[in-house]
Amino acid sequence: MNFVSLFSGCGGFDLGFTRAGFDCLAAFDKDAAAFKVHSANIRSSFSAKVDLATGFPDEWVIPNSVDLVIGGPPCQGFSLAGKMDPSDPRNDLFNVAAELALKIKPKFILIENVAAASKTPNWRSAQQRFQESGYKAETILWSASQFGVPQIRKRAFLLGIRQHSRFEIRLPARRRLKTVGEVLRKVKFNKDRAPVPLCSLTKVGAIADHIMPGMKLCNVRNSDKAVRSWDIPDVFGPVTASEREVLEAIVVLRRRNRVRSVGDADPVAARNISQYLGRPVYQNLSRLIRGGHVRKIEDRYDIVRTFNGKYRRLSWDELSPAVTTQFGDPTHFLHPSENRALTAKEAAYIQSFPKNFVFDVSERQALRLIGNAVPPAAARNVAGQFRKALV
């Protein structure tokens, strides 16, 4: 049983398949750090650092019989965590992966990406090309936690099956979820790679001091897990009780009194805030603007810092948020109990990489590669299902 890997990255997808007994015939990626890590950890018959947008390298001869082509083309242009830019040139690489896979003519094709990609023209175009080339095309939505990976990570597979083959991916039955604590407590650090704590005298450290496990800095949601910027006066400046009422009113009304048909909130008119609170608010609004808590947009008002959440502190007893390329940035993610960022080693454990998988690159490069990877535990489970179909 064998496979060819397109846009292989550091090898999370490939590791799952090799651990299930598949041979890697070839692996391709243009990223130098990804190529270095993949080469050190995944044995393949052929590998090349190449830009697949230009096609396969001339020195590679397509094998006569390939069981699977797997691929994880870039997701940044599709991701909800990014700009979701339909004009992002990296989106075209999804169709490049599909066309190259069809050129190899395997029994099965499996392309992975973020769940939002499955709603795009790129995805629909790839499905159509599969069908035109004699493959059945299916979309499978899945979550990493279904495979015992302790994170909230929703993704999609585009599965191509030769018309005469009978196969379907069966997602694991719901089971007890593994928590962050179960994996992070196993992490051991070398002295030269020990985590660096944040200094409370810095802005980042002072904010982190106020974020409890499972909470985040968030002004735009009414949630017991949201810490408001006005709850941290030593960083963002003090507010009075009446000013706090105005801020909380804006939080409610900006989502209730919609003006546009896009987005999930709009600036609020002063009269609506006054009606909601039953009192004048212009003086409060003026002071909040001077204090940097509110901004005026034409004749309406909105809170400052309208991101959905930063400084997300993981909780020992819960799933982790999705591991992204920003996992080592404390302004995005915090350790469950220590005032510091997550390390690449911790990110790798949460992504289900085994402890003997070596990331011999910089910390920043490792975090980027890990965030872009398919969790090996999920890949191995799916690979096992293909193995049964091929035996």
PDB file of all heavy atoms in Angstrom, residues 238 346 363:
ATOM      1  N   PRO A 238      -9.008  53.592  33.583  1.00  0.00           N
ATOM      2  CA  PRO A 238     -10.185  53.385  34.430  1.00  0.00           C
ATOM      3  C   PRO A 238     -11.476  53.879  33.781  1.00  0.00           C
ATOM      4  O   PRO A 238     -11.454  54.733  32.890  1.00  0.00           O
ATOM      5  CB  PRO A 238      -9.849  54.224  35.668  1.00  0.00           C
ATOM      6  CG  PRO A 238      -8.962  55.317  35.154  1.00  0.00           C
ATOM      7  CD  PRO A 238      -8.152  54.697  34.047  1.00  0.00           C
ATOM      8  N   GLU A 346       4.712  21.945  23.114  1.00  0.00           N
ATOM      9  CA  GLU A 346       3.348  21.798  23.628  1.00  0.00           C
ATOM     10  C   GLU A 346       2.340  21.799  22.481  1.00  0.00           C
ATOM     11  O   GLU A 346       1.379  21.016  22.488  1.00  0.00           O
ATOM     12  CB  GLU A 346       3.053  22.916  24.629  1.00  0.00           C
ATOM     13  CG  GLU A 346       3.817  22.747  25.935  1.00  0.00           C
ATOM     14  CD  GLU A 346       3.792  23.988  26.807  1.00  0.00           C
ATOM     15  OE1 GLU A 346       3.824  25.111  26.249  1.00  0.00           O
ATOM     16  OE2 GLU A 346       3.763  23.845  28.045  1.00  0.00           O
ATOM     17  N   GLU A 363      12.133  27.871  16.746  1.00  0.00           N
ATOM     18  CA  GLU A 363      10.861  27.787  17.454  1.00  0.00           C
ATOM     19  C   GLU A 363       9.736  28.377  16.613  1.00  0.00           C
ATOM     20  O   GLU A 363       8.651  27.807  16.512  1.00  0.00           O
ATOM     21  CB  GLU A 363      10.970  28.527  18.794  1.00  0.00           C
ATOM     22  CG  GLU A 363       9.732  28.465  19.659  1.00  0.00           C
ATOM     23  CD  GLU A 363       9.587  27.172  20.444  1.00  0.00           C
ATOM     24  OE1 GLU A 363      10.430  26.269  20.281  1.00  0.00           O
ATOM     25  OE2 GLU A 363       8.630  27.058  21.231  1.00  0.00           O
TER      26      GLU A 363
END
